[in-house]
Amino acid sequence: VIGVVIGKTDVRGFPDRKNIGSERFTFSFTIRDSPSYFVNVSSWGREGYIRTLSESFRVGDCVTIENPLVQSKEMEREEKFSPVTPSCYKLLLSENHSVVKTSSCYEMDTALLSLLHLPVKDPQDYYSLGDIVANGQSLNGRILNVLAAVMSVS
């Protein structure tokens, strides 16, 4: 799978239920290879492997993923912790079997760079800040998608 990284989480550690007293580490990222398709990728493993893998690329880099495990998404669980994707699958990276190679999008395909700036939600599925202010009470308790741009940082 070849795509541009459009999102990435920080590395997190969790107690390993199988090996009491030790930790397993994880991080995930989302790659996109076309305007309509993007998929979440997760990796679990030893701290050294996960940290090295996470530090090997950043958002905006193009990656080639070789030999991932393709799994069906568990809709209820998956969507809580990762971006909602149009695919009913996710990719899982394994230290022993999977490889992630990073390269410049210019070397791969400059069309991938344009995918960084496309929203991942349907353009009709956003609320403007004005709509939220005007209809605040009726929107109370609902989950909303907001599309915004940063005008300045100071």
Side-chain angles (χ1 to χ4, degrees):
V1 178
I2 297 171
V4 62
V5 177
I6 62 170
K8 184 175 163 189
T9 67
D10 292 330
V11 172
R12 296 176 309 211
F14 294 94
D16 189 341
R17 286 183 256 161
K18 294 179 184 171
N19 298 318
I20 305 302
S22 63
E23 278 188 299
R24 290 183 69 204
F25 287 79
T26 186
F27 86 103
S28 59
F29 58 100
T30 305
I31 62 167
R32 186 175 215 162
D33 67 356
S34 74
S36 303
Y37 294 101
F38 46 98
V39 68
N40 292 320
V41 184
S42 298
S43 187
W44 287 83
R46 297 178 304 105
E47 181 177 15
Y49 166 69
I50 295 298
R51 289 202 187 279
T52 300
L53 182 59
S54 175
E55 292 167 3
S56 71
F57 62 88
R58 58 186 180 187
V59 171
D61 285 346
C62 287
V63 294
T64 302
I65 300 173
E66 296 177 0
N67 209 22
L69 177 63
V70 178
Q71 291 184 324
S72 296
K73 270 195 311 196
E74 298 168 39
M75 294 301 189
E76 293 291 316
R77 258 181 72 203
E78 303 295 335
E79 307 294 296
K80 284 184 186 175
F81 305 108
S82 298
V84 176
T85 63
S87 173
C88 55
Y89 300 101
K90 64 180 180 176
L91 303 179
L92 186 61
L93 301 179
S94 154
E95 182 173 2
N96 296 326
H97 300 101
S98 307
V99 176
V100 177
K101 296 177 182 174
T102 308
S103 59
S104 163
C105 287
Y106 291 109
E107 294 170 22
M108 302 282 284
D109 182 356
T110 53
L112 288 173
L113 275 179
S114 66
L115 301 176
L116 270 173
H117 306 292
L118 293 177
V120 294
K121 290 283 191 177
D122 178 353
Q124 307 305 313
D125 192 25
Y126 292 105
Y127 283 84
S128 71
L129 294 178
D131 289 341
I132 294 170
V133 170
N135 302 303
Q137 290 298 330
S138 65
L139 300 173
N140 191 22
R142 292 186 52 201
I143 295 174
L144 305 175
N145 295 315
V146 178
L147 179 61
V150 177
M151 290 179 54
S152 69
V153 177
S154 59

